[in-house]
Amino acid sequence: MVTYIPASKGHKDARGFDPVWEMYHKVFDLKPLLLKIDADKPQAQKNRDERLKTPQTFSCITDEVYPSQTRVLIVDDIYTTGRTILHAKTALKAIGLNDIYTFSLSR
């Protein structure tokens, strides 16, 4: 199963689109699993220390139950500190998805 790092509602509304979904939706059959709440400010406006201290901003938006052996690939645009991916993985693990891989277009 392939999911992605979604934009928060505020970020999506400001841009008019979800950048990560737009990058990958023609390549993968993306399954929306994560919901991202608006943070105090976008990651791009934070320095490394601020990024590492960012609290959990993800929850899962599905009530489906997945077999424990389900493999999940999380796609994202940019990997800087890894905090976003770690928070996404934590949210997915909370619903029983543990075999998780990641791919970012840029680092």
Side-chain angles (χ1 to χ4, degrees), residues 17-104:
F17 64 96
D18 186 319
V20 177
W21 187 84
E22 288 293 338
M23 287 174 45
Y24 293 108
H25 80 279
K26 291 184 179 179
V27 178
F28 299 107
D29 179 20
L30 296 175
K31 173 121 176 119
L33 291 175
L34 298 163
L35 175 65
K36 185 174 184 181
I37 61 169
D38 286 311
D40 56 342
K41 61 182 175 180
Q43 289 288 87
Q45 295 177 8
K46 295 179 182 180
N47 64 35
R48 179 176 170 74
D49 190 51
E50 290 172 318
R51 287 174 187 232
L52 290 172
K53 291 179 182 174
T54 300
Q56 175 63 283
T57 56
F58 292 103
S59 60
C60 289
I61 59 173
T62 181
D63 291 329
E64 292 182 50
V65 176
Y66 299 99
S68 60
Q69 70 273 18
T70 302
R71 289 183 180 162
V72 179
L73 173 65
I74 305 171
V75 293
D76 197 7
D77 53 357
I78 301 169
Y79 180 105
T80 306
T81 63
R83 178 58 67 197
T84 299
I85 291 290
L86 288 175
H87 282 322
K89 286 175 74 173
T90 299
L92 293 174
K93 286 181 178 188
I95 64 166
L97 295 168
N98 294 301
D99 196 1
I100 302 170
Y101 302 86
T102 65
F103 174 82
S104 298

